Amino acid sequence: MRLSIDAMGGDRGPAAVVAGMARSARKNPDIDFILHGPAEELGRLVARRKQLADRVEIRDASDVVTMEDKPSQVVRHGKETSMWSALDAVRAGDAEVCVSCGNTGALMALSMMRLRKLPGVNRPAIAVLWPSRNPQGFNVMLDVGADIRADEKDLLQYALMGASYARNGMGLERPRIGLLNVGTEEHKGRSELKAAHELISEAAQNANFDFVGFVEGGDIPGERCDVIVTDGFTGNVALKTGEGTASLIGDFLREAFKFSPLSRFAAVLALTSLRRLQKRIDPRRVNGGVFLGLNGPVVKSHGSADAMGVSAAIKLAYQLAASGFQGKIAARVASAVSLAQDAAERGTGNV
Amino acid sequence: MRLSIDAMGGDRGPAAVVAGMARSARKNPDIDFILHGPAEELGRLVARRKQLADRVEIRDASDVVTMEDKPSQVVRHGKETSMWSALDAVRAGDAEVCVSCGNTGALMALSMMRLRKLPGVNRPAIAVLWPSRNPQGFNVMLDVGADIRADEKDLLQYALMGASYARNGMGLERPRIGLLNVGTEEHKGRSELKAAHELISEAAQNANFDFVGFVEGGDIPGERCDVIVTDGFTGNVALKTGEGTASLIGDFLREAFKFSPLSRFAAVLALTSLRRLQKRIDPRRVNGGVFLGLNGPVVKSHGSADAMGVSAAIKLAYQLAASGFQGKIAARVASAVSLAQDAAERGTGNV
């Protein structure tokens, strides 16, 4: 199994990426890497890690996509970047999945250009895993920011792609899908959500998932469903609000335990418990947004990911490749396209 | 100072409301109450609390708005309900603020009908306080669900009303306002957000607040701004996502400390620290969404509020009344209306 890794563009530079690869290589003997970036620098970094010996092919790329670069510029002038090279390895079939810590907007724009959208997909989506009360420990939410708009057909495709992801990434045979909305009856008024509710209901039988209907923000970490479907604007706000809240509580917790000598003593005794908690909510453990709806999966790691975060993104990429996810999602979307078109046409006829 | 309290419609019934009133009455000798609901039952509940002696006027209302009632029905047929009676006491000038634990949609619809919107306000908003890293401990977010739509002029009014609330409710002389958006440049594309950015920028000087521009979900509990402005759909999802995440972490924390006998022992020692944490993130302490943009403030308490939650909502209502908030916000919005209209007209001219 070969993964294509963009070494550049993350906040911690290529050293953190190579450290993450070494961590993954130690745990999993089945992974090989194609690594993209300035060959000389990468060669030195890789040579220092004996776990990586004979498992890394380096492809030289002199240019780097920065966090400030505009996606449109990268698409036009980014041919020499490590990000472009990393995507092209998947395009050429040399690697199964691409992993990058770089600029999200640029990565999405380049992915759409180099890998192309799956037939029948209008808008690709970014899916993330979210700690939850469900037995699998995580829920899937999409879209979290590939596109700020989504009409009812896009939302249906998100449901289909999210169900496929939950089935292959989390082993849920019949995932439960929820459509994000606000609470009161009176507010269930956005027309595209009503239309999407109908389309997803109709698709549920054939597509082998359960549709639980509208869900609320509180259900994102909840147990009512496994997959939360929403537009990229709302999903992005929800993701960052959740991360911000978790980080705030973490800081408050630390402050609470630093308050007095006694509480500092209690903290020492409570250390194992606190570590157990941290492990469950540590965002590095579930690092990686997956771009769905393209010819080839792309895993976007957090820009600030350290070795542990990069390794988690690599693990996710490996799992997706090992499950044969790409072929399954393509088949699922293709078979659903005609279904969706039928439904949409019928829907229009009814109104 | 007289507050108008709807005794009915909350999940825990009138006993929790009266217990909350007693709690507030004990702490604050300046509050009197007008209490609305079935007179006989309420009379018995009040008689049991000696703190409430001679401080409560009961107004009989035989009917109750339930959580299932549709707002439109309540507006047409709700004349005998305790909610209607509670709002009419503010309308008649008998009380300064109305507090209710009832159905949010019905309370907003009835409030708009009985109290009417402030001149110049198109859509009223619900504002909540959110635990944050700022020195005042909380940020204001609005709208969290009065209306799912908001155009640029509505967002400007939310900014003005939110600034007024932060000034009078939290004592911030020059609040910092942020407009909620998603991260990457490419996504800053919703046209109403761009237009609102311009309108709020222009209003900042005259309205005595600082505009920090676009903020992200992570800034809602952060320290970049004091007031977060957004539409009711996004605000509602963010609020519930944050609450859900906090509740999930709380449960994980409890589980972590129940894991082994040693961790249970550590928990006992850590109790004070954990209580200190809980106090900072306990949603009951900041219970109360405030309806802004009406002739008379309305405080919406959580439907599930217990005595402590009801008491927090009463405290908030008292603070708003004591600060002369209503007069100030009316003046602020009125003076801004012409400003906004000018700006909007200029804006249209420019495009």
Side-chain angles (χ1 to χ4, degrees):
Chain A
M1 178 86 63
R2 302 190 95 192
L3 304 178
S4 177
I5 314 284
D6 175 10
M8 312 304 288
D11 303 343
R12 295 168 193 250
V17 174
V18 173
M21 288 164 57
R23 210 181 156 101
S24 290
R26 196 167 51 234
K27 290 188 193 165
N28 189 336
D30 293 339
I31 313 178
D32 284 349
F33 301 97
I34 308 177
L35 185 63
H36 308 263
E40 207 180 322
E41 185 183 359
L42 297 185
R44 274 198 306 275
L45 287 168
V46 169
R48 269 189 237 141
R49 307 271 175 179
K50 58 175 183 291
Q51 303 95 336
L52 294 176
D54 301 323
R55 293 172 70 175
V56 182
E57 174 196 335
I58 293 172
R59 293 199 181 167
D60 188 48
S62 53
D63 210 0
V64 175
V65 177
T66 69
M67 291 295 176
E68 289 71 39
D69 285 341
K70 293 213 164 158
S72 49
Q73 288 175 328
V74 175
V75 166
R76 277 197 299 275
H77 308 295
K79 214 167 173 178
E80 305 301 322
T81 62
S82 58
M83 191 184 275
W84 186 298
S85 177
L87 288 166
D88 268 15
V90 173
R91 177 189 163 108
D94 301 341
E96 307 240 12
V97 185
C98 171
V99 178
S100 173
C101 303
N103 180 326
T104 308
L107 184 61
M108 179 49 93
L110 264 192
S111 298
M112 285 174 64
M113 182 209 184
R114 301 310 294 161
L115 300 177
R116 300 271 162 206
K117 293 184 279 188
L118 279 177
V121 168
N122 178 34
R123 299 185 206 275
I126 305 177
V128 292
L129 295 177
W130 190 290
S132 82
R133 297 178 199 277
N134 273 318
Q136 70 270 19
F138 300 99
N139 291 342
V140 174
M141 177 161 74
L142 76 168
D143 174 31
V144 299
D147 201 313
I148 52 166
R149 287 145 306 191
D151 67 15
E152 57 268 29
K153 283 190 249 175
D154 298 323
L155 293 168
L156 169 63
Q157 288 181 344
Y158 296 172
L160 295 165
M161 298 193 295
S164 228
Y165 183 27
R167 204 175 290 118
N168 295 289
M170 303 198 294
L172 297 174
E173 208 172 307
R174 202 175 165 83
R176 295 161 302 157
I177 312 287
L179 183 59
L180 191 61
N181 201 344
V182 294
T184 67
E185 282 297 327
E186 215 71 353
H187 288 145
K188 289 182 180 165
R190 277 194 175 180
S191 59
E192 75 272 22
L193 286 177
K194 283 183 191 168
H197 191 289
E198 210 163 303
L199 290 182
I200 299 174
S201 277
E202 289 182 27
Q205 286 182 317
N206 287 305
N208 199 28
F209 62 77
D210 288 326
F211 181 49
V212 305
F214 290 131
V215 297
E216 295 191 71
D219 297 313
I220 298 174
E223 57 194 351
R224 275 192 64 204
C225 60
D226 308 299
V227 178
I228 293 94
V229 169
T230 187
D231 66 274
F233 185 91
T234 311
N236 186 279
V237 168
L239 175 68
K240 290 185 175 162
T241 303
E243 287 176 346
T245 305
S247 143
L248 181 78
I249 296 175
D251 288 354
F252 281 0
L253 189 62
R254 265 182 292 279
E255 283 172 34
F257 275 108
K258 274 183 192 155
F259 189 75
S260 69
L262 181 65
S263 63
R264 278 194 291 270
F265 174 65
V268 174
L269 279 178
L271 209 59
T272 336
S273 300
L274 293 176
R275 287 227 178 100
R276 204 172 296 125
L277 170 71
Q278 208 203 345
K279 214 179 155 187
R280 287 183 83 171
I281 60 169
D282 188 345
R284 293 177 303 169
R285 283 183 61 241
V286 286
N287 182 32
V290 178
F291 292 3
L292 300 176
L294 303 164
N295 290 303
V298 175
V299 173
K300 164 67 178 81
S301 159
H302 244 292
S304 61
D306 59 7
M308 182 178 166
V310 171
S311 176
I314 289 171
K315 185 179 173 191
L316 179 60
Y318 174 81
Q319 284 170 332
L320 290 176
S323 70
F325 174 64
Q326 185 59 29
K328 289 177 195 167
I329 200 171
R332 177 67 65 197
V333 171
S335 80
V337 169
S338 52
L339 198 81
Q341 280 167 347
D342 290 359
E345 277 155 23
R346 255 180 293 133
T348 319
N350 287 341
V351 174
Chain B
M1 178 86 61
R2 303 190 94 193
L3 303 178
S4 178
I5 315 284
D6 175 10
M8 312 305 287
D11 302 343
R12 295 168 193 249
V17 174
V18 173
M21 288 163 57
R23 213 181 153 102
S24 290
R26 196 166 53 234
K27 289 187 193 164
N28 188 336
D30 293 340
I31 313 179
D32 284 349
F33 302 96
I34 307 177
L35 185 63
H36 308 262
E40 207 180 320
E41 185 182 359
L42 297 185
R44 272 197 309 273
L45 288 167
V46 169
R48 269 191 238 141
R49 306 273 175 177
K50 58 176 184 292
Q51 302 97 336
L52 293 176
D54 302 324
R55 293 172 70 174
V56 182
E57 174 195 334
I58 294 172
R59 293 197 182 168
D60 188 47
S62 53
D63 210 359
V64 174
V65 177
T66 69
M67 291 294 176
E68 289 72 38
D69 284 341
K70 293 215 164 157
S72 49
Q73 288 175 327
V74 175
V75 165
R76 276 197 301 273
H77 308 296
K79 215 168 172 177
E80 305 302 321
T81 62
S82 58
M83 192 184 274
W84 187 297
S85 177
L87 288 166
D88 269 16
V90 173
R91 177 188 162 109
D94 300 341
E96 307 238 12
V97 185
C98 172
V99 178
S100 174
C101 302
N103 180 327
T104 308
L107 184 61
M108 180 49 93
L110 264 192
S111 298
M112 284 175 64
M113 181 209 184
R114 301 310 295 161
L115 300 178
R116 300 270 163 206
K117 294 186 278 188
L118 278 177
V121 168
N122 178 34
R123 299 186 206 274
I126 305 177
V128 291
L129 296 177
W130 189 292
S132 82
R133 295 178 201 276
N134 273 317
Q136 70 270 17
F138 299 98
N139 291 342
V140 174
M141 177 160 73
L142 77 167
D143 173 31
V144 299
D147 200 312
I148 53 167
R149 286 147 306 191
D151 66 15
E152 57 268 29
K153 283 189 249 175
D154 298 323
L155 293 169
L156 170 62
Q157 288 180 345
Y158 296 173
L160 296 166
M161 297 193 297
S164 229
Y165 183 27
R167 206 175 290 119
N168 295 288
M170 302 198 295
L172 297 173
E173 208 172 307
R174 202 176 166 80
R176 294 161 303 158
I177 311 288
L179 183 59
L180 192 61
N181 201 344
V182 294
T184 67
E185 282 299 325
E186 215 71 352
H187 287 147
K188 291 183 179 164
R190 277 195 175 179
S191 60
E192 74 273 22
L193 286 177
K194 282 184 191 166
H197 191 290
E198 210 163 303
L199 290 182
I200 298 174
S201 277
E202 289 183 26
Q205 287 182 317
N206 288 303
N208 200 29
F209 62 78
D210 288 326
F211 181 49
V212 306
F214 290 132
V215 297
E216 294 190 72
D219 297 312
I220 298 175
E223 57 195 349
R224 273 191 65 205
C225 60
D226 309 297
V227 178
I228 293 94
V229 170
T230 187
D231 66 274
F233 185 90
T234 310
N236 187 278
V237 168
L239 175 67
K240 290 184 176 162
T241 304
E243 286 177 345
T245 305
S247 143
L248 181 79
I249 296 176
D251 289 355
F252 282 180
L253 188 62
R254 264 182 293 279
E255 283 172 33
F257 275 108
K258 274 183 192 155
F259 189 74
S260 69
L262 180 65
S263 63
R264 278 195 291 271
F265 174 66
V268 174
L269 279 179
L271 209 59
T272 336
S273 299
L274 292 175
R275 287 226 177 102
R276 203 173 296 126
L277 170 71
Q278 207 203 349
K279 213 178 155 188
R280 288 183 82 172
I281 60 169
D282 188 345
R284 295 178 302 170
R285 281 183 62 239
V286 287
N287 181 32
V290 178
F291 292 4
L292 301 175
L294 303 164
N295 290 302
V298 175
V299 173
K300 164 68 178 78
S301 160
H302 243 294
S304 61
D306 59 7
M308 184 177 163
V310 170
S311 175
I314 289 172
K315 184 179 173 191
L316 179 60
Y318 173 81
Q319 284 170 331
L320 289 177
S323 69
F325 174 64
Q326 185 59 28
K328 290 177 193 166
I329 200 171
R332 177 67 64 196
V333 171
S335 81
V337 170
S338 51
L339 198 82
Q341 280 167 348
D342 291 358
E345 278 156 22
R346 254 179 294 133
T348 319
N350 287 341
V351 174

